[in-house]
Amino acid sequence: MPYSIKDQVAVIGVGCIKFGDNFDQGYEEMAVEAAFAAFNDAKITPDQIDAAWLGTYSPAQGHGKAAVSLGDALRLYNKPISRVENFCATGTDAFRHAVLAVASGIYDTALVLGVEKYKDRPGRGLAREGVHPYHHDGSTAPGLFALAATRYMHTYGLTRETLAKVSVKNHYNGSLNPKAHLQRKVTPEEVLTAPIVAYPFGLFDCCPTTDGAAAAIVCRADLAKKFRNDYILVKGVGLSVTSGRPFMDPNFDYLGFKATQYAAAQAYEMAGIKDPLKEINVAEVHDCFTWTEITNYEDLGFAKKGEGAKLIEEGRTALTGDIPVNPSGGLKSFGHPIGASGVRMVYEIVTQLRGQGGERQVKDPKMGLVHNVGGPGAVSCVAVLGQP
């Protein structure tokens, strides 16, 4: 790696709204609430922000595919604002762009805002754009991930009972989080007897459709103490883009996602991490479906390929385990408003590293990880955060 930005950028403020069926809030209202929560957390004013990045898959109605959805919502005019859209890694990649810009020395401070409105707009859920109906009929997110999950289950003998343990864990964590969309515990029996969406995924194996927004403020590390003493440092970031049609690749084995492996390798090299299982203390990973979390354990280096199920079976990824995963409740409890998810996961890891997680706080974390994968499996972004 020719250059590392380790410890050169600090996260000085984070904000997150209540995710859910936010019928009483518009896109811009959610954006404003999240951004000002982050401003207040960082003790910074909007006029002190040098630049901003907006992570959003579907901008505010009438604003087109541009960054004006952020500019108009916050009245943050005449500043450099960029809109990022990169499948399910949209929010994390927006964070990565802001970090790299501050590390370059061009800006001292930057805002990252992730926001998405899916529940009460004309095109509910994920809109398909520019694709002939022949190519997407039946091509749903659960259906596509189910293809890989069934191959993985066949190869390694994974059962739906093990998948259910991921759902039970993340629903339990979400029941402790007042900002989660779904704040209820579920039993293994409820998960296993729920209606099937796309085998092997039943209703409780899938994340819900949700509205949400989150924000983060980053600055040059040498300026961080001007804002707060308990700032968090960015240790490493990585992004990988593979084929957008992995299922047409004869070399795709359906057992995991190369994009996650490559993005993690970049972030780990930058952060100087040699053994992720021992050096990462808490992680927010992309659990759009229960199986995805298990293969993420392996692709992120927490377990060897085919052995990820042991981590959930042995309780090692629970709040009290040695590698707690998705202490927030994950996408399983928060839903996946695409642009908001990655920034919301940064919010959670910063909260955990500060020791402010309340009932869901894990024990004494020093290093945390944020991960998204989407496409499916075509794009992945990883960020490693840690205490100074």
Side-chain angles (χ1 to χ4, degrees), residues 25-322:
Q25 284 186 301
Y27 181 102
E28 293 189 340
E29 291 169 308
M30 294 193 301
V32 168
E33 183 180 336
F36 275 84
F39 291 149
N40 293 334
D41 190 50
K43 299 179 178 60
I44 196 171
T45 58
D47 62 297
Q48 292 177 277
I49 298 296
D50 293 337
W53 274 261
L54 169 66
T56 198
Y57 182 87
S58 302
Q61 287 177 277
H63 277 73
K65 300 290 191 182
V68 292
S69 295
L70 188 157
D72 274 340
L74 301 181
R75 306 296 189 264
L76 200 66
Y77 298 131
N78 303 315
K79 303 250 186 187
I81 306 174
S82 298
R83 171 174 169 263
V84 176
E85 177 186 340
N86 213 347
F87 282 152
C88 298
T90 291
T92 323
D93 197 19
F95 177 78
R96 171 182 161 274
H97 275 275
V99 166
L100 294 177
V102 170
S104 76
I106 295 176
Y107 306 116
D108 289 343
T109 61
L111 163 70
V112 187
L113 175 68
V115 55
E116 216 73 72
K117 186 71 173 167
Y118 285 147
K119 296 305 294 278
D120 55 355
R121 53 193 302 172
R124 298 182 64 177
L126 297 178
R128 293 279 188 168
E129 299 175 353
V131 180
H132 191 283
Y134 178 81
H135 291 289
H136 71 73
D137 277 355
S139 174
T140 65
L144 291 173
F145 276 84
L147 292 174
T150 50
R151 165 53 66 179
Y152 183 102
M153 293 169 74
H154 172 77
T155 302
Y156 294 118
L158 186 72
T159 66
R160 290 196 68 228
E161 283 72 17
T162 299
L163 297 182
K165 292 181 185 295
V166 175
S167 182
V168 170
K169 171 182 72 74
N170 290 350
H171 270 273
Y172 172 77
N173 295 351
S175 75
L176 305 176
N177 194 331
K179 294 184 184 296
H181 183 174
L182 304 178
Q183 298 176 31
R184 61 168 297 224
K185 302 172 188 175
V186 297
T187 66
E189 182 179 19
E190 284 180 289
V191 179
L192 292 170
T193 58
I196 291 292
V197 175
Y199 188 88
F201 302 137
L203 183 64
F204 291 115
D205 289 287
C206 308
C207 68
T209 301
T210 304
D211 302 327
I217 311 291
V218 297
C219 78
R220 280 171 33 201
D222 60 318
L223 301 177
K225 282 192 175 179
K226 290 175 55 179
F227 299 98
R228 63 186 309 144
N229 289 324
D230 59 345
Y231 59 87
I232 299 301
L233 291 174
V234 178
K235 302 292 183 179
V237 290
L239 173 74
S240 179
V241 178
T242 60
S243 171
R245 296 180 292 272
F247 304 112
M248 298 182 183
D249 179 357
N251 296 313
F252 180 59
D253 62 10
Y254 289 74
L255 301 177
F257 298 112
K258 294 288 186 184
T260 291
Q261 298 168 20
Y262 295 141
Q266 294 170 28
Y268 291 159
E269 182 179 2
M270 194 177 290
I273 290 177
K274 305 296 184 185
D275 187 342
L277 181 61
K278 292 183 177 178
E279 296 176 68
I280 299 293
N281 308 124
V282 59
E284 284 281 310
V285 311
H286 198 92
D287 61 323
C288 51
F289 306 102
T290 47
W291 168 76
T292 321
E293 178 168 312
I294 290 176
T295 198
N296 289 337
Y297 296 162
E298 302 163 3
D299 292 336
L300 290 167
F302 300 155
K304 294 179 181 177
K305 183 54 68 179
E307 297 183 1
K310 291 181 181 177
L311 295 183
I312 188 71
E313 291 282 2
E314 296 170 358
R316 297 179 64 183
T317 53
L319 290 178
T320 54
D322 61 315

Side-chain angles (χ1 to χ4, degrees), residues 14-19 34 91-92 95 112-115 174 177 179-181 207 210-216 283-288 326-351 360 370-372 385:
V14 288
C16 180
I17 73 166
K18 166 74 171 64
F19 280 41
T92 323
F95 177 78
V112 187
L113 175 68
V115 55
N177 194 331
K179 294 184 184 296
H181 183 174
C207 68
T210 304
D211 302 327
E284 284 281 310
V285 311
H286 198 92
D287 61 323
C288 51
N326 290 326
S328 69
L331 275 60
K332 190 68 206 67
S333 295
F334 266 87
H336 184 26
I338 289 180
S341 287
V343 189
R344 192 270 303 165
M345 296 157 86
V346 169
Y347 167 91
E348 178 66 18
I349 292 301
V350 169
T351 300
R360 66 183 190 283
V370 174
H371 158 261
N372 289 113
L385 309 177

